[in-house]
Every structure is written in structure tokens, then in C-alpha cells.
Amino acid sequence: MNALLSDWTAEFGLPPFADLKDHDFAPAFDAALAEARENIAAIADSPDTPTFANTIEALELAEGLLDRVSGVFYNLAGADSNDTREALMRDLAPKLSAFSSEVTNNKALFSRIETLWQSRQTLDLTAEQSRVLELYRQMFVRSGANLEGEQAARLTEVKSRLAVLGTQFSQNLLADERDWFMPLTEADLEGLPDFVISAARAAGAEKNQPGPVVTLSRSLIVPFLQFSPRRALRQKAYEAWVARGANGNANDNRAIAAETLALREERAKLLGYQSFADFKLEPEMAKTPEAVRGLLMRVWEPARKKALSDAAILEKMLHADGLSGPLEPWDWRYHSEKRRKAEHDLDEAALKPYLSLNAMLAAQFDCANRLFGLEFHEIEGPFYHPDVRGWEVTRNGIHVAVFLGDYFARGSKRSGAWCSAMRSQKKLGADTRPIVVNVCNFAKGEPCLLSYDDARTLFHEFGHALHQMLSNVTYGFISGTSVARDFVELPSQLYEHWLEVPEVLEKHARHWQTGEPMPADLLKRLLAAGTYDQGFATVEFVASALVDLAFHESPAPADPMQKQAEVLEAIGMPHAIRMRHATPHFAHVFSGDGYSSGYYSYMWSEVMDADAFAAFEETGNAFDPETAKRLETFILSAGGSQPAEALYTQFRGRMPGVEPLLKGRGLLEPV
């Protein structure tokens, strides 16, 4: 029996994780695609006059089984991959792309949608239905529904090839990350805090090595670069980290990036756009490449100025240590950590015992309770991996969602942190409550101790989870995070602010052994250092966003690495800072279309999140009930039911300027 195709009888409708077999996924996808094709054909070929119910609502329900199987498989493929799942991903990429093209190229189906669109004023639709109709039509048009003949066929080929390339890019990156590690001798552990040593030993055990190792997991390599006094080892680790996807081996992504950019340009021109950036940004808040560049350059200059000033200080520290030559990228974090300790008396090794994973989970749940009345009750598995934990989310005793947390780095998990939904909220057909997953890559330890940046990541992903869990719409098409790309990061980045609220840390930042709260002076120093090293952080981000934009707003470069170098030279990239994501491992941009031409979105959303949190600060209460209710009503529960600008304006009364972002990053010039 194929558990994926059976009724799921587990509590809360959870997938039957214990019964899932890898060999069941391929036949389950075959069955789901066959059912979806049959349902789509019935809608397109119906002799009945098109109505919203028999066309749009029918489309909403047509792929139910496919959504269910995909929701499970792609969560597992990202968080717990293996050879079988990777092979199936490669096989599925063109199949699912072909199915998507079949749907959007179906002339009879598009004719029914177009009929509804042209007569929309007479259909007596609700505001949500009008929005869903608009977005369905937009999706079909942007997918090539108006193209004919050779152009339509070529667009289908292009999209299929792009799906294959995106999958290959991801798998190459995962392979490079999984395969590399650097063994450490006991002498190499000199100067490393206990938490780094513990993480290195755990990583060695995971790699079946006799001793500690450094891997390319961010949660291990970054603290190693911060604390290791051995410059040669830092250089070796750093250069391996930034060379992911560009090692000249079978996992090299440079040719994939070049082909991807060329095909994206072709796709945009087939659809009548001047560039891929013009095509991609049209439905976003930014609308145009010019608007994106304007924001990024407004931030770039003050960030670069601050970074160069910081670099001069760090280089003097390097020379004071008896080392010659310029400050290099593998030196920055080490000397910056020493400077932070000297200037702010802030030692991450002293800080981390107060930021255990369990304590920070309690903090994120407590904030959600105080803001939105949500309650979290831990539930037993089995889930898809022994590391995963689960909670039922309720409000006033009523079920809201299931929340799964998968927090530890492992070789089977792609890097980074993300939020996804195995099942999204909707009301059409039945009141469906979501199953939401947060995935991180923290170094496993007993206990797991987080850096402050790790804790911020935890809150960030939980902000996305709240966007999914509090969704309250009828149609899955606009549920949860189904919003403009440069709006989707608002809830996540906004939620980070509650980690900075002193009363939250006073309550939850407690020593994992003694239970004692973080000392008041340490808490004060931590919050005072909130903008420390923001020149570095902003420069490495904005440089990545500008390269992404340059790739897509002009003709596709034959050599993306040369184009990357030209962009960085033109903006005056500081020598000791690299892009946060160099092209061969820029998964946001090349592992699918998600953030292509859209990496700027984090900063666009930050303009709003700084202003949105100010709405709470203006009341004198970071947990002001009325402001929290507006936030839930107009943003967290609304999904894509209205354009992003309308939703934000209803919450705040206006759109913000860039000054709160610069102030929040400490980049405004003193008056």
C-alpha cells in the first residue's frame, strides 16, 4: 500500500511519516499528475458557461492530491535529502514544468478565465474573489497563455530547461557543502570557545571522523572564523566556503548560471519584456529595476563608507598582531570579534550560555502569545527525522496549526534557513489548517547554544511561520506567504525586532545550567552593540543584490563571473569583504526563480519592518494589543488578498521612507 495515496488518519491530518517509503513517491506523483490532468481537462472542456465556481474554484481544487504529495516530498528533499530523493527531484523537474505549461497553454481553459475577466463587473464577486481572478489571469498571461505556435512551444522548452538547471544547481551546491570538511588537531582548537569545540567534535562524529572538523555549515564555519587565531586555517576554511559551486569538479555551477541567465532573458523577450528584471519585477512592489537600484544605492554609499572606516581599524589590529599585508576577508570576522569584545565588552562565548535553543524557542512562543494569543503545546512524532520537534498551535483552545521545527545542521540538509508549509491554510472545500515547518542549520550540541545572529534567524523564520499559521483566507492561491516577493520578508524581519525588546531577553535569556537571567550589564552591552559591524553586513548584502540586478536588467552575460567582477569594481567593493553569496553558490537566485531579480527584497521589506515596529514603539508598548490586532488583520491573516501596498497602508496609514532602515543599521550620519 502506498501511504501517500491513502487517507491520512494521523492526528491533525499529519502525513504518515513512519510509513513513507522513498519508492512510493514516484508512483504517487504519477497518480497525482494523472488526477490533476483529468480534473483540468474537465474544467477546460466543460460545455457549461464559465462561472467563478466552475472555473476558478474548480482550478483551486483540481490539484489537491498533487499539492499534498509535493508538500511532503519537497520538504523532505530540502531538509533530509538522499540519493534516491535527489534522483527523483531531477526526474520531476521537467515533468512538473511540463504539467504547468500544459495548464497555462490550455487555450480552452484560458478562454474561460478571460471570459470571466472581461465580464468581472457583472459577476457579483467578493473582494477576495476579484483578487483571485485577477491573479489567476495574471499567472496565465505571464506564463505565455497569449503566445501561439513556435513561440509557445519554445517558452515551454525554456521553462522546462530552467527547472532542470535550478534543481541541478541546488544539488551541486549541496554536494560541495556535504563533501568538504577540514580536520582539526587538538592544537588547532587553541583559542576556540567551548561551544565551537563542541560543535566541531559533533561535526566530526557526523562525518565519521576520529576528531573534530570544520564543515561548510554556516553555524560552524562563521564562529571558527571569528575565534580561531590560526590565520592559515581561517584562510583555508574561508576559501573553501566561498568556492562552493566553483571548484572545477562535477558540481561546478558556473556554466549552469550562464545558461540560466541566457534562458531567462529569452523567456522575458518571448513575453514581450525588455529584460528579465522588467518581467520579474512587474508584479512586485518595486515594479521596475530603476526603483530597486535607487533603494540599493541609497543604502550602498553610507554602508560602504562605514565599512571602509571599520576596515582601517581592523587592519591596524592585524598589524598590531605582527601580521603584514592588507586585511583579508578571512581576517575580518576574527579581528571584528576582538574589537567587539574590546569596545563593547561583549564576548560571544560568554553570551551563548544564555541563548540556548530551548530558551529562545520559549521566547518566540511567548512573544506570539502576547501579541496574538497563540498557545503552543508540544506533540509527539514520529516526524520526518528524529531531530524534528512538533507543536500544536491553538488560540482560546481552538486548533490553529501544526508547527514543526527542524533546527540542526546535517549532511542531508541544504544550507541556510527557511520556512515552508506541508499544507497551507484555506477554507474552500473544507476549513484546512496549515502544517508549517521552520528549518535551520544550527550546530548540534548538548545543549544547543545559539549566537545572537542564530537567535535572530530563529525569530526571522518564525515570523514567516506566523504569516502561514495566522492566514485566514478562502482560497489557497493567496494563502499565507503567497504575496509579492518584496513583501514576503516583512513579517519575518519584523518579528526579529521582538528579540531586541529588553523585557523578552530579561525573561528568557537564562543560563542553560543555572537558570540565572542574563546579567543586566551584559544585556545592556548586547543591546548597545545592536548596530555593531553593520557596515560589513550591509555591504556584503547590497553587493549581492546589485550583482543579481545587473545579471537580469541587461543582456545575459556570457561569463557571469566576469560580470560579477565588473559590478563589484564599479561600486568600489572593499577588498576585505566579499559578496554574501557569490554567483556559483547564489542559491536564492539560481536554485529556481524565487529571488531572481529579487534578492533586494530583504532590504525592501526592511524599509517597512523598521517603520512597522515603530508603530508599536510609538504606543510605548512593544506588545500593544491594538497595533498587534492591526498587524494580524491587515498583514498576517490577509495573505495576498490585496496588493501589498494596500495592505501595508491599511496597517500603518502610509508607506515608509528609507531613513528608519538607515537609522536601524546605524548608518545615518550624526547630526
Side-chain angles (χ1 to χ4, degrees), residues 117-148:
W117 175 250
Q118 296 300 333
S119 59
R120 61 191 180 279
Q121 303 297 340
T122 67
L123 299 179
D124 195 26
L125 301 177
T126 67
E128 185 177 332
Q129 288 172 332
S130 294
R131 176 68 172 163
V132 169
L133 174 59
E134 176 189 5
L135 292 175
Y136 260 96
R137 181 180 182 274
Q138 179 187 84
M139 177 184 72
F140 271 71
V141 171
R142 287 172 56 80
S143 296
N146 283 323
L147 297 183
E148 302 282 352

PDB file of all heavy atoms in Angstrom, residues 117-148:
ATOM      1  N   TRP A 117     -12.830  37.326 -16.756  1.00  0.00           N
ATOM      2  CA  TRP A 117     -12.146  38.598 -16.534  1.00  0.00           C
ATOM      3  C   TRP A 117     -12.858  39.745 -17.264  1.00  0.00           C
ATOM      4  O   TRP A 117     -13.059  40.821 -16.683  1.00  0.00           O
ATOM      5  CB  TRP A 117     -10.688  38.477 -17.015  1.00  0.00           C
ATOM      6  CG  TRP A 117      -9.915  39.752 -16.946  1.00  0.00           C
ATOM      7  CD1 TRP A 117      -9.487  40.517 -17.983  1.00  0.00           C
ATOM      8  CD2 TRP A 117      -9.477  40.423 -15.752  1.00  0.00           C
ATOM      9  NE1 TRP A 117      -8.813  41.621 -17.535  1.00  0.00           N
ATOM     10  CE2 TRP A 117      -8.787  41.585 -16.157  1.00  0.00           C
ATOM     11  CE3 TRP A 117      -9.597  40.158 -14.400  1.00  0.00           C
ATOM     12  CZ2 TRP A 117      -8.222  42.479 -15.254  1.00  0.00           C
ATOM     13  CZ3 TRP A 117      -9.033  41.046 -13.491  1.00  0.00           C
ATOM     14  CH2 TRP A 117      -8.361  42.184 -13.912  1.00  0.00           C
ATOM     15  N   GLN A 118     -13.241  39.502 -18.491  1.00  0.00           N
ATOM     16  CA  GLN A 118     -13.887  40.560 -19.267  1.00  0.00           C
ATOM     17  C   GLN A 118     -15.275  40.912 -18.714  1.00  0.00           C
ATOM     18  O   GLN A 118     -15.746  42.044 -18.903  1.00  0.00           O
ATOM     19  CB  GLN A 118     -13.992  40.146 -20.735  1.00  0.00           C
ATOM     20  CG  GLN A 118     -12.645  39.960 -21.425  1.00  0.00           C
ATOM     21  CD  GLN A 118     -11.794  41.214 -21.427  1.00  0.00           C
ATOM     22  OE1 GLN A 118     -12.308  42.335 -21.383  1.00  0.00           O
ATOM     23  NE2 GLN A 118     -10.466  41.037 -21.453  1.00  0.00           N
ATOM     24  N   SER A 119     -15.905  39.958 -18.050  1.00  0.00           N
ATOM     25  CA  SER A 119     -17.260  40.215 -17.510  1.00  0.00           C
ATOM     26  C   SER A 119     -17.237  40.358 -15.991  1.00  0.00           C
ATOM     27  O   SER A 119     -18.279  40.240 -15.342  1.00  0.00           O
ATOM     28  CB  SER A 119     -18.197  39.075 -17.909  1.00  0.00           C
ATOM     29  OG  SER A 119     -17.724  37.832 -17.407  1.00  0.00           O
ATOM     30  N   ARG A 120     -16.080  40.634 -15.420  1.00  0.00           N
ATOM     31  CA  ARG A 120     -15.935  40.616 -13.952  1.00  0.00           C
ATOM     32  C   ARG A 120     -16.840  41.608 -13.244  1.00  0.00           C
ATOM     33  O   ARG A 120     -17.244  41.371 -12.102  1.00  0.00           O
ATOM     34  CB  ARG A 120     -14.475  40.864 -13.567  1.00  0.00           C
ATOM     35  CG  ARG A 120     -13.913  42.211 -14.009  1.00  0.00           C
ATOM     36  CD  ARG A 120     -12.388  42.245 -13.827  1.00  0.00           C
ATOM     37  NE  ARG A 120     -11.780  43.515 -14.223  1.00  0.00           N
ATOM     38  CZ  ARG A 120     -11.501  43.851 -15.471  1.00  0.00           C
ATOM     39  NH1 ARG A 120     -11.797  43.014 -16.457  1.00  0.00           N
ATOM     40  NH2 ARG A 120     -10.945  45.016 -15.754  1.00  0.00           N
ATOM     41  N   GLN A 121     -17.170  42.706 -13.919  1.00  0.00           N
ATOM     42  CA  GLN A 121     -18.018  43.706 -13.262  1.00  0.00           C
ATOM     43  C   GLN A 121     -19.447  43.210 -13.045  1.00  0.00           C
ATOM     44  O   GLN A 121     -20.181  43.763 -12.226  1.00  0.00           O
ATOM     45  CB  GLN A 121     -18.048  44.996 -14.103  1.00  0.00           C
ATOM     46  CG  GLN A 121     -16.677  45.602 -14.372  1.00  0.00           C
ATOM     47  CD  GLN A 121     -15.957  46.044 -13.098  1.00  0.00           C
ATOM     48  OE1 GLN A 121     -16.582  46.241 -12.064  1.00  0.00           O
ATOM     49  NE2 GLN A 121     -14.641  46.195 -13.171  1.00  0.00           N
ATOM     50  N   THR A 122     -19.829  42.172 -13.761  1.00  0.00           N
ATOM     51  CA  THR A 122     -21.212  41.680 -13.672  1.00  0.00           C
ATOM     52  C   THR A 122     -21.332  40.397 -12.848  1.00  0.00           C
ATOM     53  O   THR A 122     -22.423  39.827 -12.750  1.00  0.00           O
ATOM     54  CB  THR A 122     -21.758  41.398 -15.092  1.00  0.00           C
ATOM     55  OG1 THR A 122     -21.033  40.296 -15.658  1.00  0.00           O
ATOM     56  CG2 THR A 122     -21.611  42.616 -15.982  1.00  0.00           C
ATOM     57  N   LEU A 123     -20.225  39.935 -12.256  1.00  0.00           N
ATOM     58  CA  LEU A 123     -20.223  38.615 -11.616  1.00  0.00           C
ATOM     59  C   LEU A 123     -20.562  38.643 -10.133  1.00  0.00           C
ATOM     60  O   LEU A 123     -20.680  37.590  -9.506  1.00  0.00           O
ATOM     61  CB  LEU A 123     -18.850  37.954 -11.808  1.00  0.00           C
ATOM     62  CG  LEU A 123     -18.422  37.699 -13.252  1.00  0.00           C
ATOM     63  CD1 LEU A 123     -17.040  37.059 -13.289  1.00  0.00           C
ATOM     64  CD2 LEU A 123     -19.437  36.805 -13.955  1.00  0.00           C
ATOM     65  N   ASP A 124     -20.708  39.833  -9.564  1.00  0.00           N
ATOM     66  CA  ASP A 124     -21.038  39.956  -8.139  1.00  0.00           C
ATOM     67  C   ASP A 124     -20.029  39.195  -7.275  1.00  0.00           C
ATOM     68  O   ASP A 124     -20.388  38.424  -6.382  1.00  0.00           O
ATOM     69  CB  ASP A 124     -22.462  39.432  -7.868  1.00  0.00           C
ATOM     70  CG  ASP A 124     -22.978  39.880  -6.490  1.00  0.00           C
ATOM     71  OD1 ASP A 124     -22.499  40.927  -6.001  1.00  0.00           O
ATOM     72  OD2 ASP A 124     -23.815  39.165  -5.916  1.00  0.00           O
ATOM     73  N   LEU A 125     -18.743  39.429  -7.545  1.00  0.00           N
ATOM     74  CA  LEU A 125     -17.680  38.755  -6.805  1.00  0.00           C
ATOM     75  C   LEU A 125     -17.366  39.487  -5.513  1.00  0.00           C
ATOM     76  O   LEU A 125     -17.500  40.712  -5.422  1.00  0.00           O
ATOM     77  CB  LEU A 125     -16.404  38.688  -7.651  1.00  0.00           C
ATOM     78  CG  LEU A 125     -16.499  37.975  -9.005  1.00  0.00           C
ATOM     79  CD1 LEU A 125     -15.158  38.061  -9.729  1.00  0.00           C
ATOM     80  CD2 LEU A 125     -16.910  36.517  -8.812  1.00  0.00           C
ATOM     81  N   THR A 126     -16.925  38.739  -4.521  1.00  0.00           N
ATOM     82  CA  THR A 126     -16.398  39.370  -3.316  1.00  0.00           C
ATOM     83  C   THR A 126     -15.047  40.000  -3.654  1.00  0.00           C
ATOM     84  O   THR A 126     -14.442  39.709  -4.704  1.00  0.00           O
ATOM     85  CB  THR A 126     -16.206  38.357  -2.185  1.00  0.00           C
ATOM     86  OG1 THR A 126     -15.153  37.442  -2.565  1.00  0.00           O
ATOM     87  CG2 THR A 126     -17.485  37.576  -1.907  1.00  0.00           C
ATOM     88  N   ALA A 127     -14.540  40.832  -2.749  1.00  0.00           N
ATOM     89  CA  ALA A 127     -13.233  41.454  -2.975  1.00  0.00           C
ATOM     90  C   ALA A 127     -12.153  40.381  -3.103  1.00  0.00           C
ATOM     91  O   ALA A 127     -11.249  40.481  -3.948  1.00  0.00           O
ATOM     92  CB  ALA A 127     -12.910  42.415  -1.830  1.00  0.00           C
ATOM     93  N   GLU A 128     -12.233  39.335  -2.286  1.00  0.00           N
ATOM     94  CA  GLU A 128     -11.231  38.275  -2.353  1.00  0.00           C
ATOM     95  C   GLU A 128     -11.337  37.514  -3.666  1.00  0.00           C
ATOM     96  O   GLU A 128     -10.325  37.195  -4.294  1.00  0.00           O
ATOM     97  CB  GLU A 128     -11.395  37.313  -1.171  1.00  0.00           C
ATOM     98  CG  GLU A 128     -10.315  36.249  -1.113  1.00  0.00           C
ATOM     99  CD  GLU A 128     -10.423  35.338   0.095  1.00  0.00           C
ATOM    100  OE1 GLU A 128     -10.940  35.766   1.145  1.00  0.00           O
ATOM    101  OE2 GLU A 128      -9.989  34.170  -0.018  1.00  0.00           O
ATOM    102  N   GLN A 129     -12.547  37.245  -4.119  1.00  0.00           N
ATOM    103  CA  GLN A 129     -12.717  36.541  -5.387  1.00  0.00           C
ATOM    104  C   GLN A 129     -12.195  37.372  -6.555  1.00  0.00           C
ATOM    105  O   GLN A 129     -11.563  36.828  -7.469  1.00  0.00           O
ATOM    106  CB  GLN A 129     -14.192  36.203  -5.598  1.00  0.00           C
ATOM    107  CG  GLN A 129     -14.691  35.094  -4.682  1.00  0.00           C
ATOM    108  CD  GLN A 129     -16.189  34.901  -4.769  1.00  0.00           C
ATOM    109  OE1 GLN A 129     -16.936  35.843  -5.064  1.00  0.00           O
ATOM    110  NE2 GLN A 129     -16.648  33.679  -4.518  1.00  0.00           N
ATOM    111  N   SER A 130     -12.439  38.672  -6.512  1.00  0.00           N
ATOM    112  CA  SER A 130     -11.928  39.549  -7.576  1.00  0.00           C
ATOM    113  C   SER A 130     -10.406  39.505  -7.628  1.00  0.00           C
ATOM    114  O   SER A 130      -9.803  39.458  -8.709  1.00  0.00           O
ATOM    115  CB  SER A 130     -12.396  40.985  -7.342  1.00  0.00           C
ATOM    116  OG  SER A 130     -13.800  41.081  -7.466  1.00  0.00           O
ATOM    117  N   ARG A 131      -9.797  39.512  -6.464  1.00  0.00           N
ATOM    118  CA  ARG A 131      -8.336  39.458  -6.400  1.00  0.00           C
ATOM    119  C   ARG A 131      -7.816  38.121  -6.937  1.00  0.00           C
ATOM    120  O   ARG A 131      -6.835  38.079  -7.700  1.00  0.00           O
ATOM    121  CB  ARG A 131      -7.892  39.661  -4.952  1.00  0.00           C
ATOM    122  CG  ARG A 131      -6.408  39.527  -4.705  1.00  0.00           C
ATOM    123  CD  ARG A 131      -5.617  40.641  -5.337  1.00  0.00           C
ATOM    124  NE  ARG A 131      -4.219  40.602  -4.924  1.00  0.00           N
ATOM    125  CZ  ARG A 131      -3.235  41.235  -5.538  1.00  0.00           C
ATOM    126  NH1 ARG A 131      -3.483  41.978  -6.602  1.00  0.00           N
ATOM    127  NH2 ARG A 131      -1.996  41.147  -5.094  1.00  0.00           N
ATOM    128  N   VAL A 132      -8.462  37.031  -6.570  1.00  0.00           N
ATOM    129  CA  VAL A 132      -8.038  35.709  -7.028  1.00  0.00           C
ATOM    130  C   VAL A 132      -8.176  35.598  -8.546  1.00  0.00           C
ATOM    131  O   VAL A 132      -7.283  35.080  -9.229  1.00  0.00           O
ATOM    132  CB  VAL A 132      -8.835  34.600  -6.310  1.00  0.00           C
ATOM    133  CG1 VAL A 132      -8.601  33.247  -6.962  1.00  0.00           C
ATOM    134  CG2 VAL A 132      -8.449  34.545  -4.835  1.00  0.00           C
ATOM    135  N   LEU A 133      -9.278  36.101  -9.104  1.00  0.00           N
ATOM    136  CA  LEU A 133      -9.461  36.087 -10.551  1.00  0.00           C
ATOM    137  C   LEU A 133      -8.362  36.890 -11.239  1.00  0.00           C
ATOM    138  O   LEU A 133      -7.765  36.439 -12.230  1.00  0.00           O
ATOM    139  CB  LEU A 133     -10.833  36.659 -10.914  1.00  0.00           C
ATOM    140  CG  LEU A 133     -11.120  36.834 -12.409  1.00  0.00           C
ATOM    141  CD1 LEU A 133     -11.018  35.508 -13.161  1.00  0.00           C
ATOM    142  CD2 LEU A 133     -12.509  37.473 -12.619  1.00  0.00           C
ATOM    143  N   GLU A 134      -8.074  38.065 -10.707  1.00  0.00           N
ATOM    144  CA  GLU A 134      -7.017  38.899 -11.276  1.00  0.00           C
ATOM    145  C   GLU A 134      -5.673  38.162 -11.274  1.00  0.00           C
ATOM    146  O   GLU A 134      -4.942  38.174 -12.277  1.00  0.00           O
ATOM    147  CB  GLU A 134      -6.894  40.194 -10.465  1.00  0.00           C
ATOM    148  CG  GLU A 134      -5.755  41.091 -10.901  1.00  0.00           C
ATOM    149  CD  GLU A 134      -5.515  42.250  -9.940  1.00  0.00           C
ATOM    150  OE1 GLU A 134      -6.168  42.313  -8.874  1.00  0.00           O
ATOM    151  OE2 GLU A 134      -4.645  43.096 -10.253  1.00  0.00           O
ATOM    152  N   LEU A 135      -5.351  37.511 -10.179  1.00  0.00           N
ATOM    153  CA  LEU A 135      -4.059  36.834 -10.062  1.00  0.00           C
ATOM    154  C   LEU A 135      -3.984  35.586 -10.934  1.00  0.00           C
ATOM    155  O   LEU A 135      -2.919  35.266 -11.476  1.00  0.00           O
ATOM    156  CB  LEU A 135      -3.775  36.496  -8.597  1.00  0.00           C
ATOM    157  CG  LEU A 135      -3.519  37.703  -7.687  1.00  0.00           C
ATOM    158  CD1 LEU A 135      -3.377  37.253  -6.242  1.00  0.00           C
ATOM    159  CD2 LEU A 135      -2.274  38.473  -8.127  1.00  0.00           C
ATOM    160  N   TYR A 136      -5.094  34.871 -11.082  1.00  0.00           N
ATOM    161  CA  TYR A 136      -5.095  33.717 -11.985  1.00  0.00           C
ATOM    162  C   TYR A 136      -4.846  34.171 -13.424  1.00  0.00           C
ATOM    163  O   TYR A 136      -4.029  33.579 -14.150  1.00  0.00           O
ATOM    164  CB  TYR A 136      -6.421  32.955 -11.897  1.00  0.00           C
ATOM    165  CG  TYR A 136      -6.353  31.727 -11.028  1.00  0.00           C
ATOM    166  CD1 TYR A 136      -6.743  31.770  -9.696  1.00  0.00           C
ATOM    167  CD2 TYR A 136      -5.883  30.520 -11.529  1.00  0.00           C
ATOM    168  CE1 TYR A 136      -6.678  30.646  -8.876  1.00  0.00           C
ATOM    169  CE2 TYR A 136      -5.808  29.390 -10.731  1.00  0.00           C
ATOM    170  CZ  TYR A 136      -6.207  29.460  -9.408  1.00  0.00           C
ATOM    171  OH  TYR A 136      -6.119  28.347  -8.615  1.00  0.00           O
ATOM    172  N   ARG A 137      -5.555  35.197 -13.831  1.00  0.00           N
ATOM    173  CA  ARG A 137      -5.353  35.682 -15.200  1.00  0.00           C
ATOM    174  C   ARG A 137      -3.914  36.164 -15.389  1.00  0.00           C
ATOM    175  O   ARG A 137      -3.274  35.865 -16.404  1.00  0.00           O
ATOM    176  CB  ARG A 137      -6.323  36.823 -15.521  1.00  0.00           C
ATOM    177  CG  ARG A 137      -6.154  37.347 -16.947  1.00  0.00           C
ATOM    178  CD  ARG A 137      -7.117  38.477 -17.251  1.00  0.00           C
ATOM    179  NE  ARG A 137      -6.953  38.926 -18.633  1.00  0.00           N
ATOM    180  CZ  ARG A 137      -6.053  39.838 -19.024  1.00  0.00           C
ATOM    181  NH1 ARG A 137      -5.232  40.384 -18.134  1.00  0.00           N
ATOM    182  NH2 ARG A 137      -5.977  40.195 -20.298  1.00  0.00           N
ATOM    183  N   GLN A 138      -3.395  36.897 -14.413  1.00  0.00           N
ATOM    184  CA  GLN A 138      -2.015  37.379 -14.485  1.00  0.00           C
ATOM    185  C   GLN A 138      -1.039  36.210 -14.605  1.00  0.00           C
ATOM    186  O   GLN A 138      -0.102  36.251 -15.404  1.00  0.00           O
ATOM    187  CB  GLN A 138      -1.691  38.209 -13.235  1.00  0.00           C
ATOM    188  CG  GLN A 138      -0.283  38.756 -13.185  1.00  0.00           C
ATOM    189  CD  GLN A 138       0.001  39.412 -11.847  1.00  0.00           C
ATOM    190  OE1 GLN A 138       0.362  38.753 -10.880  1.00  0.00           O
ATOM    191  NE2 GLN A 138      -0.173  40.728 -11.774  1.00  0.00           N
ATOM    192  N   MET A 139      -1.260  35.156 -13.831  1.00  0.00           N
ATOM    193  CA  MET A 139      -0.389  33.988 -13.882  1.00  0.00           C
ATOM    194  C   MET A 139      -0.399  33.366 -15.272  1.00  0.00           C
ATOM    195  O   MET A 139       0.662  33.026 -15.826  1.00  0.00           O
ATOM    196  CB  MET A 139      -0.825  32.955 -12.844  1.00  0.00           C
ATOM    197  CG  MET A 139       0.001  31.666 -12.879  1.00  0.00           C
ATOM    198  SD  MET A 139      -0.602  30.419 -11.726  1.00  0.00           S
ATOM    199  CE  MET A 139      -2.124  29.887 -12.537  1.00  0.00           C
ATOM    200  N   PHE A 140      -1.578  33.221 -15.872  1.00  0.00           N
ATOM    201  CA  PHE A 140      -1.674  32.612 -17.197  1.00  0.00           C
ATOM    202  C   PHE A 140      -0.987  33.482 -18.248  1.00  0.00           C
ATOM    203  O   PHE A 140      -0.227  32.980 -19.083  1.00  0.00           O
ATOM    204  CB  PHE A 140      -3.142  32.374 -17.568  1.00  0.00           C
ATOM    205  CG  PHE A 140      -3.671  31.037 -17.121  1.00  0.00           C
ATOM    206  CD1 PHE A 140      -3.901  30.768 -15.775  1.00  0.00           C
ATOM    207  CD2 PHE A 140      -3.929  30.040 -18.037  1.00  0.00           C
ATOM    208  CE1 PHE A 140      -4.386  29.536 -15.357  1.00  0.00           C
ATOM    209  CE2 PHE A 140      -4.406  28.803 -17.638  1.00  0.00           C
ATOM    210  CZ  PHE A 140      -4.636  28.546 -16.294  1.00  0.00           C
ATOM    211  N   VAL A 141      -1.241  34.780 -18.213  1.00  0.00           N
ATOM    212  CA  VAL A 141      -0.646  35.680 -19.206  1.00  0.00           C
ATOM    213  C   VAL A 141       0.872  35.682 -19.082  1.00  0.00           C
ATOM    214  O   VAL A 141       1.601  35.584 -20.074  1.00  0.00           O
ATOM    215  CB  VAL A 141      -1.213  37.102 -19.051  1.00  0.00           C
ATOM    216  CG1 VAL A 141      -0.434  38.088 -19.924  1.00  0.00           C
ATOM    217  CG2 VAL A 141      -2.695  37.125 -19.427  1.00  0.00           C
ATOM    218  N   ARG A 142       1.373  35.768 -17.841  1.00  0.00           N
ATOM    219  CA  ARG A 142       2.827  35.805 -17.627  1.00  0.00           C
ATOM    220  C   ARG A 142       3.480  34.451 -17.897  1.00  0.00           C
ATOM    221  O   ARG A 142       4.695  34.361 -18.033  1.00  0.00           O
ATOM    222  CB  ARG A 142       3.123  36.281 -16.201  1.00  0.00           C
ATOM    223  CG  ARG A 142       2.854  37.767 -16.015  1.00  0.00           C
ATOM    224  CD  ARG A 142       2.968  38.194 -14.559  1.00  0.00           C
ATOM    225  NE  ARG A 142       4.254  37.866 -13.979  1.00  0.00           N
ATOM    226  CZ  ARG A 142       5.372  38.569 -14.137  1.00  0.00           C
ATOM    227  NH1 ARG A 142       5.369  39.660 -14.893  1.00  0.00           N
ATOM    228  NH2 ARG A 142       6.500  38.198 -13.556  1.00  0.00           N
ATOM    229  N   SER A 143       2.669  33.407 -17.976  1.00  0.00           N
ATOM    230  CA  SER A 143       3.194  32.084 -18.316  1.00  0.00           C
ATOM    231  C   SER A 143       3.115  31.797 -19.810  1.00  0.00           C
ATOM    232  O   SER A 143       3.472  30.708 -20.249  1.00  0.00           O
ATOM    233  CB  SER A 143       2.420  31.001 -17.546  1.00  0.00           C
ATOM    234  OG  SER A 143       2.616  31.146 -16.155  1.00  0.00           O
ATOM    235  N   GLY A 144       2.597  32.770 -20.586  1.00  0.00           N
ATOM    236  CA  GLY A 144       2.600  32.618 -22.044  1.00  0.00           C
ATOM    237  C   GLY A 144       1.289  32.197 -22.648  1.00  0.00           C
ATOM    238  O   GLY A 144       1.258  31.731 -23.803  1.00  0.00           O
ATOM    239  N   ALA A 145       0.177  32.368 -21.936  1.00  0.00           N
ATOM    240  CA  ALA A 145      -1.111  31.909 -22.466  1.00  0.00           C
ATOM    241  C   ALA A 145      -1.496  32.612 -23.763  1.00  0.00           C
ATOM    242  O   ALA A 145      -2.258  32.063 -24.565  1.00  0.00           O
ATOM    243  CB  ALA A 145      -2.204  32.123 -21.418  1.00  0.00           C
ATOM    244  N   ASN A 146      -0.971  33.816 -23.993  1.00  0.00           N
ATOM    245  CA  ASN A 146      -1.301  34.548 -25.219  1.00  0.00           C
ATOM    246  C   ASN A 146      -0.377  34.215 -26.383  1.00  0.00           C
ATOM    247  O   ASN A 146      -0.583  34.709 -27.496  1.00  0.00           O
ATOM    248  CB  ASN A 146      -1.258  36.063 -24.956  1.00  0.00           C
ATOM    249  CG  ASN A 146      -2.493  36.545 -24.218  1.00  0.00           C
ATOM    250  OD1 ASN A 146      -3.599  36.054 -24.467  1.00  0.00           O
ATOM    251  ND2 ASN A 146      -2.316  37.487 -23.301  1.00  0.00           N
ATOM    252  N   LEU A 147       0.650  33.401 -26.131  1.00  0.00           N
ATOM    253  CA  LEU A 147       1.572  33.042 -27.210  1.00  0.00           C
ATOM    254  C   LEU A 147       0.977  31.926 -28.057  1.00  0.00           C
ATOM    255  O   LEU A 147       0.184  31.115 -27.594  1.00  0.00           O
ATOM    256  CB  LEU A 147       2.916  32.602 -26.632  1.00  0.00           C
ATOM    257  CG  LEU A 147       3.713  33.647 -25.842  1.00  0.00           C
ATOM    258  CD1 LEU A 147       5.054  33.065 -25.417  1.00  0.00           C
ATOM    259  CD2 LEU A 147       3.914  34.923 -26.652  1.00  0.00           C
ATOM    260  N   GLU A 148       1.421  31.872 -29.315  1.00  0.00           N
ATOM    261  CA  GLU A 148       0.937  30.859 -30.247  1.00  0.00           C
ATOM    262  C   GLU A 148       2.116  30.143 -30.908  1.00  0.00           C
ATOM    263  O   GLU A 148       3.233  30.653 -30.949  1.00  0.00           O
ATOM    264  CB  GLU A 148       0.073  31.516 -31.349  1.00  0.00           C
ATOM    265  CG  GLU A 148      -1.129  32.291 -30.852  1.00  0.00           C
ATOM    266  CD  GLU A 148      -2.294  31.391 -30.453  1.00  0.00           C
ATOM    267  OE1 GLU A 148      -2.205  30.170 -30.712  1.00  0.00           O
ATOM    268  OE2 GLU A 148      -3.280  31.905 -29.909  1.00  0.00           O
TER     269      GLU A 148
END
